[in-house]
Amino acid sequence: VTSQDVVQGTAIPVTFNFKGQGGITQVYFSNGFNLSKGFTIGVKTSFLFGFVENETITYLGDANFSAPLASALFEKTNYRGFKLEGALAYRKKIEDKKFVNVGFIYEAASDLNGTRLLRLERRSTSGTFPGDTLVNNEKGNFSLPSEIGLGFSYEKLNTYTLSFDVKQQKWDQFAGLEGDTDQFQNAVSAGLGMEFIPDYTSVNSYIKRIRYRVGFNYQQLPYVVNGNSINDFGINFGWSLPFYSPGRPPSSIDMGFKIGQRGTKSNDLIRERYFKIVIGATINDQWFVKRKYD
């Protein structure tokens, strides 16, 4: 992101370049168990790790005058930590092939351990020149809030499913590492979707056995920028292509597409419109089945 201004009290132009990269990777294990008829409980434990780099580069001057070196503020933070999530689901048959499903999730609050490097640098076309190191491997914790979610769905087996879910994360006003000034707010997200199968038992038409999906989602992100909330809205659609193996549950290749908009242009902020593609596979198999015949 680039912005332009003038040095206060002068006519000298100044250009600011803001750059960032990185993110958090999650490795998780989850499992579920049947408690009693209709009730299922699940647990998920995750390990998170990664880094985020941010830098602000300041250029003085224009075509008529320019400083030989640009000033840069470089920041890198490494993260790692664990989190735990539990879930409870209930499935109730109300008519032949018709079911109501209710789900509840809770993710406990946790901390990501972080180490931060903060350094001033000088930049030119020939390279980077070392400057002052303001913070070197400073340790701290980034607080991840608890999350609670509730979902409902109405299903006619192998025909259609209507679903709705909502989640909330309770962020503290200041949840970053010590010294951060970023503000946060409670995050809320909601989604509404439908899945439809034209004819699950069709023999002559493969297209009729495809699961088609469409949905909408809204999310109020936890960030507060210049006193403004940042919201995200998306329209989603996709399909699931089934394939079968003798004596095994059906598997599928899943594809999804999303058209979304995030942010606002008010108060000199940024609005982005994006397109997202998701490709995945669901592979069902039966393991550890004792053979009756060899």
Side-chain angles (χ1 to χ4, degrees):
V1 179
T2 300
S3 66
Q4 294 180 330
D5 204 341
V6 295
V7 177
Q8 188 174 2
T10 74
I12 300 175
V14 57
T15 301
F16 301 98
N17 281 357
F18 305 95
K19 297 182 179 181
Q21 66 174 346
I24 305 297
T25 300
Q26 177 180 230
V27 179
Y28 65 89
F29 173 80
S30 60
N31 203 355
F33 309 90
N34 290 323
L35 293 180
S36 61
K37 187 176 181 180
F39 282 96
T40 305
I41 189 171
V43 64
K44 174 181 174 182
T45 180
S46 306
F47 174 63
L48 297 94
F49 61 95
F51 71 92
V52 175
E53 288 183 356
N54 292 307
E55 61 181 17
T56 302
I57 308 174
T58 305
Y59 300 91
L60 285 176
D62 53 16
N64 297 320
F65 161 79
S66 63
L69 295 175
S71 299
L73 179 63
F74 175 82
E75 179 181 16
K76 181 177 181 179
T77 308
N78 294 288
Y79 297 96
R80 62 189 306 167
F82 293 89
K83 64 177 183 176
L84 182 67
E85 180 179 339
L88 180 67
Y90 177 68
R91 180 177 175 86
K92 174 67 175 177
K93 183 177 182 180
I94 55 176
E95 292 183 23
D96 184 38
K97 294 186 178 181
K98 293 184 178 180
F99 299 85
V100 172
N101 304 287
V102 181
F104 171 82
I105 66 166
Y106 177 77
E107 183 178 301
S110 60
D111 289 332
L112 292 180
N113 297 320
T115 57
R116 179 167 57 178
L117 170 68
L118 187 61
R119 184 174 64 223
L120 286 173
E121 299 176 344
R122 298 292 182 264
R123 304 282 180 89
S124 72
T125 55
S126 59
T128 299
F129 301 93
D132 296 325
T133 298
L134 306 179
V135 174
N136 187 19
N137 290 327
E138 178 187 55
K139 295 182 179 180
N141 294 323
F142 187 96
S143 299
L144 291 177
S146 62
E147 181 179 54
I148 188 171
L150 188 64
F152 303 89
S153 71
Y154 176 78
E155 172 189 5
K156 184 175 181 182
L157 194 64
N158 294 323
T159 303
Y160 63 82
T161 302
L162 298 172
S163 60
F164 171 79
D165 65 73
V166 61
K167 293 191 295 184
Q168 183 187 49
Q169 281 185 309
K170 292 189 174 182
W171 288 84
D172 293 329
Q173 184 178 6
F174 298 98
L177 295 169
E178 184 178 354
D180 286 352
T181 58
D182 296 333
Q183 293 188 31
F184 296 89
Q185 64 180 355
N186 288 344
V188 179
S189 64
L192 176 67
M194 177 181 181
E195 178 184 88
F196 175 70
I197 311 172
D199 187 356
Y200 180 78
T201 61
S202 177
V203 177
N204 299 322
S205 176
Y206 178 79
I207 294 178
K208 291 183 178 181
R209 300 198 302 272
I210 295 175
R211 297 175 180 264
Y212 299 93
R213 301 185 180 105
V214 63
F216 307 89
N217 74 282
Y218 167 83
Q219 185 177 14
Q220 177 182 278
L221 300 173
Y223 317 114
V224 179
V225 184
N226 294 342
N228 291 266
S229 298
I230 307 299
N231 301 322
D232 188 313
F233 176 77
I235 301 174
N236 312 272
F237 53 94
W239 54 83
S240 183
L241 306 175
F243 59 93
Y244 306 89
S245 299
R248 297 178 180 178
S251 300
S252 64
I253 297 175
D254 308 306
M255 302 183 68
F257 303 86
K258 178 180 180 179
I259 300 173
Q261 177 175 296
R262 181 188 297 116
T264 176
K265 295 173 69 175
S266 302
N267 296 332
D268 296 325
L269 299 182
I270 295 174
R271 180 187 68 195
E272 60 174 333
R273 292 178 175 143
Y274 61 89
F275 183 69
K276 184 177 182 180
I277 300 174
V278 179
I279 300 176
T282 302
I283 301 175
N284 290 313
D285 204 348
Q286 293 178 335
W287 293 4
F288 312 114
V289 176
K290 184 177 181 180
R291 297 181 180 271
K292 294 183 178 181
Y293 304 99
D294 288 331

